[in-house]
Amino acid sequence: MRAHRRSRRIRFGVSWTILLLNLASWTPALAASTSDTLAGSRAIGVVPLAQNSPEKYASQRAQSYGVFVGVDQFPGDPSIVALKFAAADAQAMRDCFAGELGYLPPENTRLLITGATGDDAPTRSNILKAIKFAADSAGADGCVVVDLSTHGIEGYVLAEDSQRAILQDSAIPLRRVEDYLKASRSPRRLLFFDACREKVADDGQRALSGGMSEEFAKAFASTEGFVVLMSCDQGQFSYEMPEQGHGAFTYFLLEGLRGGAPAGPDGLITAASLANWVKQRVEDWSRTKPSGKQSPRFELQQATGDFPLAVSRARLEEQSQHRQQLAQAAQTLSKMFAEGKLTAEQHAQAQAALVSKDEQRQKLALDIANGTVASQYIGPLLFQAATPTPSIPSTPSPTPAPPATPSPPPVTPRT
């Protein structure tokens, strides 16, 4: 479904980032040497989860597995247009998850791309065996990542040896992938389908049906525990970015994973924040494209979008600076108390405000330590900040009186 007309290439398809259950790999730490080995050490704006919280995420990483597939050439069927960036997309995704993010141990990943031979060739048999092995091997505490970058037809994605005339026997049914993953012990599935439907072949004739089909779009849609982000919506096409060497969806997905997506107050970049960020970036980038806008679609199937993917390096630095400010302010407040500038009660209230989760109270204590609060206002402001605001009970609405029963009309006696 990756399309192309002369020099212009258009990719269409479903790139589902099921960023949450059974297919997902985590984000634990990875040694710098490993990161350098895989994809060259690129400075990114995230910190692996297991590096930031090894006691929480290290075991999950060890039990996680991944399969990354990229098919550019289809020698068994000349009617299938060759792709340009599918293998590059799969390679970059593998390097990101096993290197930059540290989601997966490199030894727990399989890379099957055009140009590889033997068991690493992206044939139907090799791909299905690799996915099944990953699903079966992932532990109850781990994740599975599957990334398929290729063409897609109806309910199938194409392997290197696929033929359109015998799809059932040569292509990969999405139902089979779903069955493998549902049988896994892992409760976390992170699945990317960049199975992009081509629009026009080199000779100008229609090669595959245009636009993402309803059948393909709704695959996995009813499967419990999946978080799904498709590269485009039904009837749309996915574009490629030759200047970046990737599909547009994969390019922005990688940028979001590397720290472009916004982090929450806790510093975590989650599946939901990544999906929303990618959707907005792809839509903005493709808004003026001649074949129409590309709109990734995000769906949750009984899963939470708060699934953590990485920790924002910038947010960690902000938190570190804030902790330093609080520590310095605590010392300053103690010094002010020793110098008689604060009473014992004011000192206790200000120190309590520093460790409070109330941002307004914390800011007041910092302002006092910085000397921006006049001495005559310190006591009243601290007292006011420490005093909980009483909730005003709502006044019940008066019960309306029942309508008066109208008096019967007077009876005029007959004469």
Side-chain angles (χ1 to χ4, degrees):
M1 308 178 333
R2 295 188 181 185
H4 109 230
R5 183 197 305 266
R6 298 190 185 93
S7 61
R8 187 184 73 199
R9 302 183 61 87
I10 301 174
R11 302 188 345 176
F12 149 73
V14 187
S15 197
W16 316 33
T17 104
I18 300 180
L19 286 167
L20 192 89
L21 282 65
N22 222 286
L23 267 165
S25 33
W26 266 130
T27 299
L30 199 61
S33 59
T34 304
S35 180
D36 291 345
T37 301
L38 292 170
S41 55
R42 170 182 169 178
I44 61 174
V46 294
V47 175
L49 292 177
Q51 179 177 317
N52 187 62
S53 303
E55 71 289 347
K56 185 175 182 180
Y57 294 111
S59 66
Q60 294 177 351
R61 175 177 181 264
Q63 299 181 42
S64 298
Y65 287 75
V67 178
F68 301 85
V69 177
V71 188
D72 284 324
Q73 304 291 331
F74 306 87
D77 190 338
S79 72
I80 302 175
V81 176
L83 303 179
K84 187 175 181 180
F85 303 123
D89 285 351
Q91 178 78 62
M93 290 291 287
R94 189 261 187 175
D95 292 346
C96 183
F97 278 94
E100 295 165 292
L101 290 184
Y103 251 59
L104 299 168
E107 64 274 15
N108 288 3
T109 65
R110 287 289 306 280
L111 179 66
L112 301 94
I113 59 176
T114 295
T117 59
D119 291 342
D120 294 327
T123 63
R124 179 182 190 266
S125 175
N126 285 347
I127 293 170
L128 287 174
K129 286 192 293 186
I131 294 174
K132 188 175 189 307
F133 178 83
D136 292 345
S137 301
D141 216 17
C143 303
V144 184
V145 176
V146 173
D147 174 53
L148 300 177
S149 186
T150 178
H151 279 309
I153 303 177
E154 301 308 326
Y156 298 87
V157 290
L158 302 189
E160 184 176 75
D161 53 348
S162 295
Q163 299 179 44
R164 293 175 60 189
I166 50 172
L167 284 178
Q168 291 183 349
D169 298 321
S170 63
I172 299 168
L174 296 181
R175 178 64 64 183
R176 180 81 63 85
V177 176
E178 179 181 351
D179 290 343
Y180 286 165
L181 298 175
K182 287 169 64 176
S184 175
R185 291 177 298 166
S186 168
R188 303 178 183 88
R189 307 178 183 110
L190 177 51
L191 178 60
F192 301 88
F193 279 135
D194 201 345
C196 302
R197 214 171 280 271
E198 73 191 41
K199 188 177 182 182
V200 179
D202 288 327
D203 58 3
Q205 300 300 314
R206 186 170 297 276
L208 301 177
S209 56
M212 182 172 69
S213 70
E214 180 180 3
E215 181 180 0
F216 203 103
K218 292 185 176 180
F220 294 88
S222 61
T223 303
E224 182 177 343
F226 284 88
V227 179
V228 181
L229 175 60
M230 302 181 183
S231 66
C232 62
D233 214 338
Q234 184 175 334
Q236 293 182 341
F237 291 85
S238 290
Y239 296 96
E240 291 191 326
M241 301 175 72
E243 68 278 10
Q244 299 295 343
H246 290 295
F249 177 82
T250 297
Y251 172 76
F252 286 110
L253 181 62
L254 289 166
E255 290 301 298
L257 287 168
R258 289 164 173 160
D266 53 5
L268 294 176
I269 296 176
T270 65
S273 65
L274 174 69
N276 291 327
W277 186 88
V278 170
K279 176 179 173 63
Q280 185 63 54
R281 291 302 183 277
V282 172
E283 287 182 345
D284 290 345
W285 179 83
S286 63
R287 202 172 299 278
T288 59
K289 293 297 176 182
S291 292
K293 184 174 66 173
Q294 176 181 342
S295 302
R297 194 166 84 182
F298 181 46
E299 295 182 1
L300 297 175
Q301 297 299 333
Q302 305 216 353
T304 172
D306 292 333
F307 180 79
L309 300 172
V311 182
S312 167
R313 189 180 299 276
R315 186 55 58 88
L316 283 182
E317 292 173 354
E318 291 176 3
Q319 292 174 345
S320 176
Q321 293 175 359
H322 186 60
R323 287 192 295 269
Q324 293 176 6
Q325 290 177 344
L326 294 179
Q328 184 175 356
Q331 295 178 357
T332 301
L333 292 172
S334 296
K335 182 179 179 181
M336 292 174 66
F337 170 62
E339 294 174 350
K341 297 178 181 178
L342 294 176
T343 66
E345 182 180 11
Q346 291 170 350
H347 178 241
Q349 290 176 336
Q351 293 286 7
L354 277 181
V355 297
S356 169
K357 294 183 178 180
D358 187 324
E359 293 183 1
Q360 293 300 320
R361 288 185 65 194
Q362 209 172 79
K363 184 178 183 305
L364 173 60
L366 288 170
D367 289 342
I368 293 172
N370 293 332
T372 58
V373 178
S375 58
Q376 65 268 29
Y377 298 123
I378 291 178
L381 287 175
L382 283 172
F383 177 79
Q384 181 180 359
T387 304
T389 304
S391 57
I392 302 175
S394 57
T395 304
S397 303
T399 304
T405 303
S407 302
V411 178
T412 303
R414 287 182 163 189
T415 56

